[in-house]
Amino acid sequence: MDLFTPAAFGDLQLANRVVMAPLTRLRSSESGVPGPLVVEYYAQRAGFGLIVSEGVWPVQEGKAYPGQPGIETDEQVEAWQLVTAAVHARGGQIVLQLMHGGRVSHTEITGTDRIVGPSAVAIDGEAHTPVGKKAFPVPHALSTDELSEVRDQLVLAARNAIRAGFDGVEVHSANGYLLHEFLSPVSNARDDQYGGSPENRARFVIEVTKAIREAIGAGRTGIRISPAHNIQGIAEVDEADVHATYGVLMDALEPLGLAYVSILRADLDSELVRDLHERFGGAYIVNSGFSEITTRDEAIHLVEATHADAVAIGRLAIANPDLVERWESEAEVNEPNPATFYGAGAEGYTDYPVLESSRA
Ligand SMILES: Cc1cc2nc3c(=O)[nH]c(=O)nc-3n(C[C@H](O)[C@H](O)[C@H](O)COP(=O)(O)O)c2cc1C
């Protein structure tokens, strides 16, 4: 598969198969409103086949980091409209990554009375709050009734994303946040129909995805998963259980006709990933995780070796607004600076240089 050819994923029309991965950058206001700098940042990256936004919170209770944007209030929706319009004006496509942080947060960050999770099991570690590092709190275990409320909050947020002009929504079910917490037996110790067996642990993710699809359309709905990505207190260590759980999930998603599944996993060329891909049957976006920066050669190799439809690129998208053009012409790339990944204004955000030929 040639990375530089167009693709259609559901309703999304990609000019190429280099997808900008979701990247939390923490440059929005305290009330979760993205400003002009955020508009500029995404507009600069319109040359990617698809932009997936940073993880965006659906409700205050689901906010995971200071400086993270939301899609709950009208003010946020209106601010995002400027982002999506700027990306569209430059010929790009952008979906919103809908991220409920679940237990990866603190009330000092959310400003709410509680943080929530599948079970009252805290992460062993500390959250970076505006008042310093604090032990992760024990989350309130959502009751069965409360789960429908959370599902409705996510659906409303997905509708807001469409109202804000996004081309679709990526359901964030990876990297240890709320939906991933349901999938993992360590964070999910429930004894109702949402806990225990692989079928039960996959149930909430399936219900949420179906409800969002119902609200905004299958062709505009994608989902990101990271099987056995053991971070933020997640421990999916039993390979057979991982296979069973994500297998149930893929089987349930298969008939829905979703735009895509995006998978983050170190061994993409594995039996597990091949099987999940086959069971889903639709467009697959791959990313091999945080350990090594995904390079041009790696991206080309990954797509070929895994028969994926596209590759998600994280750190090089931070450092290269015109990455697609650079890769296509085999030009040099800028190196990303991790010191400015999070919350440092324009520096390391909108000031990475583009090639002479990309200047408009
Ligand atoms: C600064 C930073 C922020 C990230 N934020 C998110 C996020 O909001 N949502 C998500 O699903 N993944 C997030 N990731 C993971 C990336 O999407 C991607 O999987 C990772 O960077 C590995 O790809 P790469 O080698 O191309 O950088 C983040 C990664 C980095 C480096």
Side-chain angles (χ1 to χ4, degrees):
M1 177 71 66
D2 185 339
L3 274 183
F4 307 105
T5 57
F9 298 170
D11 295 354
L12 307 169
Q13 305 294 333
L14 286 69
N16 59 71
R17 294 155 189 273
V18 187
V19 172
M20 178 173 167
L23 293 156
T24 288
R25 306 301 308 275
L26 309 182
R27 282 160 167 93
S28 293
S29 78
E30 209 180 309
S31 54
V33 177
L37 204 56
V38 180
V39 175
E40 188 184 347
Y41 164 76
Y42 283 112
Q44 286 174 341
R45 287 159 179 77
F48 283 83
L50 178 68
I51 296 174
V52 183
S53 81
E54 62 206 285
V56 179
W57 45 269
V59 283
Q60 197 76 41
E61 198 171 73
K63 178 177 179 179
Y65 304 105
Q68 193 189 7
I71 188 77
E72 181 180 21
T73 67
D74 284 345
E75 194 188 358
Q76 291 159 358
V77 170
E78 282 157 23
W80 280 117
Q81 277 165 354
L82 303 179
V83 173
T84 59
V87 170
H88 292 152
R90 291 207 182 184
Q93 298 246 295
I94 180 166
V95 299
L96 174 133
Q97 190 186 49
L98 190 54
M99 170 179 154
H100 191 307
R103 64 180 189 157
V104 186
S105 193
H106 194 283
T107 50
E108 292 285 359
I109 295 167
T110 59
T112 56
D113 296 340
R114 59 176 202 182
I115 62 151
V116 300
S119 301
V121 182
I123 299 175
D124 183 12
E126 291 176 323
H128 294 264
T129 82
V131 293
K133 285 189 188 174
K134 298 251 177 181
F136 279 111
V138 176
H140 164 72
L142 291 158
S143 68
T144 314
D145 285 347
E146 286 170 332
L147 284 188
S148 352
E149 287 167 24
V150 174
R151 186 199 57 215
D152 292 349
Q153 291 167 348
L154 287 160
V155 168
L156 187 58
R159 287 188 196 277
N160 283 345
I162 299 302
R163 204 150 61 82
F166 283 96
D167 299 292
V169 168
E170 176 174 296
V171 178
H172 196 348
S173 185
N175 299 351
Y177 301 107
L178 182 68
L179 295 182
H180 196 185
E181 289 157 23
F182 274 85
L183 295 169
S184 161
V186 171
S187 40
N188 180 348
R190 300 176 70 92
D191 56 11
D192 63 357
Q193 69 269 37
Y194 293 96
S197 65
E199 287 75 14
N200 281 359
R201 277 181 278 121
R203 192 180 309 279
F204 190 54
V205 181
I206 295 166
E207 285 184 4
V208 164
T209 309
K210 279 187 174 169
I212 288 176
R213 166 190 180 271
E214 200 59 35
I216 67 166
R220 298 203 281 199
T221 307
I223 179 170
R224 192 173 212 206
I225 56 170
S226 60
H229 190 214
N230 295 324
I231 54 164
Q232 316 211 99
I234 293 292
E236 292 172 322
V237 290
D238 176 344
E239 200 61 14
D241 180 74
V242 171
H243 203 146
T245 308
Y246 287 85
V248 167
L249 179 57
M250 290 303 111
D251 290 347
L253 299 184
E254 186 270 331
L256 302 183
L258 300 184
Y260 67 84
V261 163
S262 175
I263 186 166
L264 184 159
R265 167 101 183 169
D267 62 339
L268 286 166
D269 193 13
S270 61
E271 215 280 302
L272 169 76
V273 177
R274 263 195 299 279
D275 182 55
L276 296 180
H277 188 170
E278 262 169 41
R279 285 161 83 162
F280 172 63
Y284 236 57
I285 304 175
V286 295
N287 178 271
S288 60
F290 290 80
S291 55
E292 307 248 323
I293 285 192
T294 312
T295 60
R296 181 182 189 276
D297 286 351
E298 170 77 352
I300 290 170
H301 166 76
L302 273 183
V303 170
E304 273 167 12
T306 67
H307 305 288
D309 301 281
V311 58
I313 299 297
R315 286 160 290 183
L316 285 187
I318 289 177
N320 297 273
D322 55 349
L323 186 70
V324 177
E325 192 185 332
R326 286 177 191 257
W327 275 5
E328 207 167 0
S329 60
E330 295 186 53
E332 292 283 300
V333 295
N334 304 317
E335 292 302 317
N337 174 12
T340 51
F341 279 177
Y342 302 110
E347 191 194 349
Y349 191 54
T350 49
D351 64 353
Y352 282 105
V354 296
L355 293 175
E356 199 64 43
S357 54
S358 315
R359 291 214 183 103

